[in-house]
Amino acid sequence: MHSRGWRRFPRTFTRAATSAGRWTLDFVYPPACSLCGQPLLNSTARPQRLCVQCRNEVAPVLPHRCLRCSAPAGPHLDTSNGCIHCRADRFAFEKVLSLGAYDGSLREACLQVKRQSGSVVAVALAGLLVEQEFMESGYGQPGFDLVVPVPHHWTDRIRQNHLPPVTLATCVARLLSVPCAAHILAKVRRTRPQTELSHTERRKNLRGAFRLIGRPDLTSRQVLLVDDVLTTGTTAHRAATELKRAGAVITVAVLARGLGPGAPTGPRAGAGSEPNHTPS
């Protein structure tokens, strides 16, 4: 017993030292909200470090969302097989998890994430996504075997220090205690930005753009594919197709679900007319 206690001492000491270091750092440099910069009164309550106002503005409670694509839906609609935004689409992934619609404050936060200085905001929103989708939503135990970011072309990795999908996936994997497999999927062909293309052009643009590296065996593995924004779902579908060929079952996690210009984003979105499929 005595020797066992000594073996535990380094781990206990490390945890105590880490806690003390964080307390000291917070005392010298008081933590602030990652979005608005306002001081946080209770910095240890939540890992993403967002003030209550920013949390509520970025991810307001949406009681009715499509179970397949995460788009806002009407209160009495059965979306187990999709909604008007996704019912006509065939995806290689099973479902989408998101903070909400790509609109208002969430849209502004996503634009901050895309900047080279956006890693701090990305980490904050990744923490909020995990909290909302896995800790408070009733989704249950994650049960994922791997977290995989949607890859960028190697030329983007050279020019940019911060790639949003990689930053988000790394943080999500850490919070879920799941390995982040950032190098099993690659973008092997440089393509035009999806935002510049029509819906039809987007489908053609990414054909053959992604490829698995090293022929991994993903049979029956639950994979969480992470990106920043999903609109038409083409990028996630093409990336998921490669993972599915290796046997994986894929769920997509994004910060925001884009619906295209003119599409409704409020609580009654999805209750009326056919969607506008213009944006990625």
Side-chain angles (χ1 to χ4, degrees):
M1 293 293 294
H2 184 71
S3 60
R4 184 180 301 175
W6 275 107
R7 284 198 299 268
R8 292 176 180 173
F9 178 76
R11 188 187 311 169
T12 304
F13 178 78
T14 300
R15 290 177 180 173
T18 301
S19 178
R22 288 176 178 171
W23 184 90
T24 303
L25 186 62
D26 286 349
F27 179 79
V28 178
Y29 301 102
C33 174
S34 299
L35 282 173
C36 70
Q38 292 298 315
L40 294 179
L41 299 179
N42 187 4
S43 63
T44 60
R46 292 183 172 91
Q48 70 273 4
R49 291 192 171 181
L50 294 173
C51 67
V52 174
Q53 181 175 345
C54 285
R55 285 169 53 85
N56 293 337
E57 290 179 354
V58 167
V61 177
L62 296 177
H64 307 291
R65 288 193 286 175
C66 175
L67 297 176
R68 184 172 182 241
C69 77
S70 195
H76 305 296
L77 297 179
D78 179 9
T79 60
S80 55
N81 293 318
C83 63
I84 60 173
H85 298 285
C86 69
R87 192 173 294 127
D89 296 314
R90 294 183 178 180
F91 294 132
F93 50 83
E94 300 295 315
K95 65 179 298 184
V96 178
L97 307 174
S98 74
L99 289 174
Y102 184 68
D103 188 46
S105 296
L106 182 54
R107 177 181 179 275
E108 294 302 317
C110 288
L111 292 176
Q112 290 189 47
V113 168
K114 291 179 181 292
R115 299 171 185 166
Q116 278 302 290
S117 59
S119 59
V120 172
V121 177
V123 169
L125 295 182
L128 183 57
L129 178 65
V130 169
E131 180 182 316
Q132 175 176 291
E133 291 300 303
F134 298 110
M135 298 179 186
E136 296 180 350
S137 68
Y139 183 80
Q141 294 296 322
F144 295 111
D145 299 300
L146 292 173
V147 176
V148 178
V150 170
H152 283 239
H153 193 257
W154 66 269
T155 54
D156 292 331
R157 298 198 301 269
I158 291 176
R159 293 184 295 107
Q160 302 177 38
N161 295 325
H162 158 62
L163 296 175
V166 176
T167 303
L168 292 169
T170 301
C171 184
V172 168
R174 177 176 57 82
L175 293 173
L176 295 180
S177 299
V178 175
C180 182
H183 302 295
I184 67 170
L185 185 66
K187 188 174 184 181
V188 296
R189 184 168 60 81
R190 187 165 181 81
T191 60
R192 292 175 60 190
Q194 291 286 87
T195 53
E196 299 177 356
L197 306 175
S198 67
H199 182 74
T200 302
E201 290 173 329
R202 291 180 183 209
R203 294 184 181 276
K204 296 179 180 180
N205 186 45
L206 290 172
R207 286 177 182 169
F210 300 105
R211 183 180 303 164
L212 284 176
I213 304 299
R215 297 183 180 180
D217 181 10
L218 301 177
T219 304
S220 300
R221 304 290 295 276
Q222 295 288 332
V223 174
L224 186 65
L225 183 66
V226 178
D227 204 356
D228 52 352
V229 180
L230 179 145
T231 305
T232 64
T234 302
T235 301
H237 169 69
R238 295 296 183 190
T241 297
E242 297 301 311
L243 295 167
K244 189 173 183 179
R245 285 173 181 167
V249 178
I250 303 102
T251 298
V252 174
V254 293
L255 296 179
R257 172 65 164 97
L259 301 177
T265 58
R268 292 189 55 79
S273 61
E274 290 299 309
N276 184 333
H277 278 302
T278 307
S280 154

